[in-house]
Amino acid sequence: MSDPTTLGIADALRLLADGEISAVELTRAHIERMEAGRALNAFITETPDLALAQAKESDTRRTRGEEGRLDGIPLGIKDLFCTEGVQTSAASAILKGFVPPYESTVTANLKAAGTVMLGKLNLDEFAMGSANVTSHFGPVENPWKRRSDKNAKLVPGGSSGGSAAAVASGLCMGATGTDTGGSIRQPASFCGIVGIKPTYGRCSRFGVVAFASSLDQPGPMARSVEDCALLLGAMAGHDSKDSTSAPMAVPDFTKALGGSVKGLKVGIPTEYRPDGLNAEVAAIWDRGVEWLKEAGAEPVSISLPATRYALPAYYIIAPAECSSNLARYDGVRFGLRVEGATLDDLYRETRAAGFGAEVRRRILIGTYVLSAGYYDAYYNKAQKVRRLIADDFARAFQNVDVILTPTAPSAAFGIGEKSDDPVTMWLNDIFTIPASLAGLPGLSLPAGLNQDGLPLGLQLIGRPFDEETVFRVAAAMEKAADFTAKPDLFAAGGA
Amino acid sequence: MSLDRTTVRAIANLARIAVPDEDLDHLAGELSNILTFVEDLSSADTDGIEPMSSVAAMSLPMRDDVVTDGGYADKVLANAPGGATEGFFTVPKVVE
């Protein structure tokens, strides 16, 4: 049998069912790989003992015919999901030593499906970043290398950078991510994997460390569209512990795969092709349109005129919600505490020591835009613009079934680049933020390599709760793209 | 929009984050840049548009007003920095 760490989830499930591999064997192979790939810094916490114990239980369940639908599949969990008894850091110093006494609903659902947890994956601090360089535990390295410079260390994207790097290099079969403005899709694009941010409300946010509650949404990251469909099916579902989780049945997303896209109308937004768009990104987008045409779909030019306001609106709304959510880190009940003479001193010193530069910046901006006298000019205005953006999409979806755009304005860049000015870094999410503001499902899939050998992704945006059409179109594009390239680390079978 | 040192100090105080004096100028510059960046919003015509606070097109679900959780003070206190004291989180003295 081939190296188990190169298998897809669907293939592994077949081998497990046929008794050709055990969950323990599959898990052990991934633990070895996780250890070999430590140079990437993808994991904050490795849990090999827990993983092997879970794998043994999985094998027992399977012998008894009691297996769950993903039984024995080793996954990585973004360290933003609370996991009972396993440190959860949000990649921040302020959660130092925090061991949750409860489990997030998404990871509980995955456990119930029989999955094995290999460990907790690195991310930008509190999921705030687009390059995984703001983590208290250091940057994550992208397993892909430039052909022109094999020594340059590239970012995996962010904030789910550990998830993307680990999946791309075979350290785990799939991973959870979370996406507030592009944190699943952009790293998926940078690392040549598939990731979907489902419709807001599809997955429960209970137990996910909050960043911007009206935008945060968990989703899966894996090496194929099918694997993402399998994972999302297990992660999603209504949860009474999250009042924004949708009381809707979860379809079998895998049934949408392989369906014809003939006659489907695919919106191509003119506003996503600004002057100066990277030529290779534009070319791969054109190629994506051609693939869909060849499969019988019909491209339709659409206009989303409020797009130019998406980034500024996001950078008011997200910091505002962040400043409110992160008020809970006060040094009193969990995490870091720096003693002070007064309670206020304790708060101030704890938060000064515990938050990194980007998080501090966003808390301050959020505090400012919510402060008396500025609320209407900033926050209220941004909320109005948010509706304009959502209305644009609603109007477009009267005429099209799905929208195709680039995922990110560039391929992966070097660690340390774009770090001088926060706004330059934020521009990474220019194509993913609008769908976040509108709460729509967005999937990124690898479409090809640029001249320098780095993956470029394309994004499919769907109607609310119509992940099925997104998956159907993604599967057709995946077939046409035939993206078989692998990062050096994956191909070499070791770090 | 440009923020000065005094404003940054006031915001940091509202956010309960100690900011050393030597950081104030740098932060004022960064925050001012961000505010300039978001100023583009003022050119958007939003007359008569309702602010959108949630994309979830649903009303908040109601449930019976009964206790559904609790009874595990030890678990709640387990992460208290420096440990809990006799079943309490501890803070510096706040009442003279």
Side-chain angles (χ1 to χ4, degrees), chain A residues 84 97-101 200 214 243-247 308-309 311-313 315-316 321 331-337 339-344 346-349 351-352 355 360-361 363-365 367-369 371 374 378 380-388 390 421-423 426-427 436-439, chain B residues 1-3 7-20 23 26-27 30-61 63 69 72 74-83 89-94:
Chain A
E84 188 173 359
F98 175 63
V99 178
Y200 182 82
S214 79
S243 61
T244 61
S245 101
R308 63 176 276 210
Y309 300 119
L311 223 57
Y315 277 102
I316 290 173
E321 295 186 14
V332 173
R333 292 156 301 155
F334 41 71
L336 182 76
R337 171 188 292 210
E339 298 296 344
T342 67
L343 184 56
D344 267 332
L346 182 150
Y347 293 154
R348 276 192 284 260
E349 296 303 330
R351 290 162 64 79
F355 293 133
R360 178 176 74 168
R361 191 153 49 223
I363 291 174
L364 294 178
I365 277 289
T367 304
Y368 180 72
V369 300
S371 62
Y374 296 101
Y378 289 109
N380 221 21
K381 180 77 181 182
Q383 299 266 53
K384 288 178 181 178
V385 168
R386 183 175 189 181
R387 187 173 299 280
L388 293 181
D421 169 33
V423 174
W426 295 353
L427 291 173
S436 293
L437 289 168
Chain B
M1 188 75 204
S2 170
L3 300 183
T7 312
V8 175
R9 195 184 281 121
I11 301 167
N13 188 45
L14 282 174
R16 297 293 186 273
I17 301 178
V19 174
D23 284 9
H26 179 65
L27 263 179
E30 272 184 357
L31 300 183
S32 299
N33 279 348
I34 292 167
L35 291 175
T36 306
F37 170 69
V38 301
E39 237 158 48
D40 192 30
L41 279 187
S42 57
S43 67
D45 180 2
T46 52
D47 285 353
I49 303 292
E50 273 294 299
M52 186 179 204
S53 54
S54 170
V55 294
M58 56 180 177
S59 51
L60 284 178
R63 66 166 176 83
D69 198 11
Y72 39 75
D74 289 352
K75 279 169 90 173
V76 174
L77 292 166
N79 280 291
F89 292 114
T90 57
V91 295
K93 196 172 176 183
V94 287

Side-chain angles (χ1 to χ4, degrees), chain A residues 430-491:
Chain A
I430 194 155
F431 297 136
T432 47
I433 277 178
S436 293
L437 289 168
L440 303 173
L443 177 147
S444 178
L445 80 159
L449 299 179
N450 72 3
Q451 301 251 322
D452 215 358
L454 298 179
L456 294 171
L458 289 175
Q459 174 182 227
L460 289 160
I461 303 169
R463 295 188 177 99
F465 298 104
D466 188 15
E467 286 88 357
E468 287 161 288
T469 300
V470 171
F471 277 127
R472 177 151 59 110
V473 178
M477 292 191 69
E478 182 180 52
K479 203 171 157 198
D482 193 24
F483 183 86
T484 53
K486 295 279 177 250
D488 294 354
L489 177 65
F490 191 96

Side-chain angles (χ1 to χ4, degrees), chain A residues 416-430:
Chain A
E417 288 172 32
K418 305 197 188 195
S419 291
D420 297 339
D421 169 33
V423 174
T424 309
M425 184 63 89
W426 295 353
L427 291 173
N428 271 292
D429 295 325
I430 194 155

